[in-house]
Amino acid sequence: SAKLSEQALTAQLFSGGAWAKRLLVADRNFGVYSVVRAAQAVSAQMLVRLTQVRARKLARDAKVRLRAGLDVLVSWKPSAWDQCPKGLAPESVAGRLLAIRVQRPGFRPLLLYLFTTLTDIQAYSAAHLAQLYGQRWQVELNLRFVKTQMDLGALECKSADMARKEWLA
């Protein structure tokens, strides 16, 4: 059977279920056009971290310079290299590009590049979006802790139902 990337599996996941008006928060691995376009197709909202290269391309397309404090409306158009999920037209996705400087005590400052489909700047401030993204990191740390404590480095099962049973066991 063909191997699918995490991004392709995510796009497939959107095809089943009620995603409308849900906010999905994801790291750089999912900050790609195909995932954002698949979410748009099911009316889900996205908040994803971007690589600097991808953020720079979006900024260039919007004719702005990528710099700390940036919060600009953009239209994410697929490049020649971007894949579009099966069955979807390669349409542009409206959103915001943010470059947020994050300073945590004891760590060097970090420039965080985010893309979101939450376009209302008044309702969703850059600081609020950075906070939401930070909560995603805490969830990941908690899951890592649970997996370590339960010695679940890898699940051996082949179905979602069996994965659920293994976690519950």
Side-chain angles (χ1 to χ4, degrees):
S1 74
K3 301 274 184 184
L4 293 177
S5 68
E6 290 177 326
Q7 296 87 352
L9 290 170
T10 301
Q12 283 184 1
L13 180 69
F14 288 140
S15 66
W19 294 99
K21 299 184 182 178
R22 302 220 189 262
L23 175 64
L24 305 159
V25 183
D27 66 11
R28 288 180 288 204
N29 191 43
F30 299 95
V32 296
Y33 172 80
S34 62
V35 173
V36 172
R37 177 64 181 97
Q40 177 200 41
V42 295
S43 300
Q45 300 295 332
M46 290 293 296
L47 173 62
V48 292
R49 185 172 177 186
L50 302 174
T51 63
Q52 183 178 16
V53 170
R54 189 160 283 116
R56 190 175 288 130
K57 181 202 173 299
L58 286 175
R60 188 174 49 246
D61 290 350
K63 298 179 178 25
V64 296
R65 190 172 63 87
L66 189 59
R67 57 171 172 65
L70 180 70
D71 187 351
V72 64
L73 293 173
V74 296
S75 181
W76 192 339
K77 298 176 184 86
S79 71
W81 299 276
D82 286 324
Q83 296 179 11
C84 192
K86 188 176 179 179
L88 295 179
E91 299 172 0
S92 62
V93 179
R96 287 166 57 198
L97 173 62
L98 301 102
I100 303 166
R101 183 168 306 281
V102 177
Q103 177 64 56
R104 296 180 302 160
F107 293 91
R108 279 187 252 152
L110 170 72
L111 197 52
L112 196 60
Y113 304 106
L114 299 174
F115 174 84
T116 184
T117 54
L118 299 170
T119 56
D120 186 342
I121 294 171
Q122 302 300 338
Y124 307 102
S125 70
H128 181 69
L129 293 172
Q131 181 183 23
L132 283 174
Y133 185 78
Q135 289 175 356
R136 184 214 62 85
W137 179 245
Q138 287 304 314
V139 168
E140 191 167 317
L141 290 177
N142 291 339
L143 286 173
R144 185 179 301 161
F145 175 78
V146 169
K147 283 174 59 177
T148 302
Q149 294 301 307
M150 295 179 68
D151 196 26
L152 289 173
L155 296 176
E156 301 296 328
C157 49
K158 305 281 186 209
S159 72
D161 187 46
M162 285 305 295
R164 226 176 275 111
K165 288 177 183 176
E166 192 168 332
W167 270 94
L168 292 173

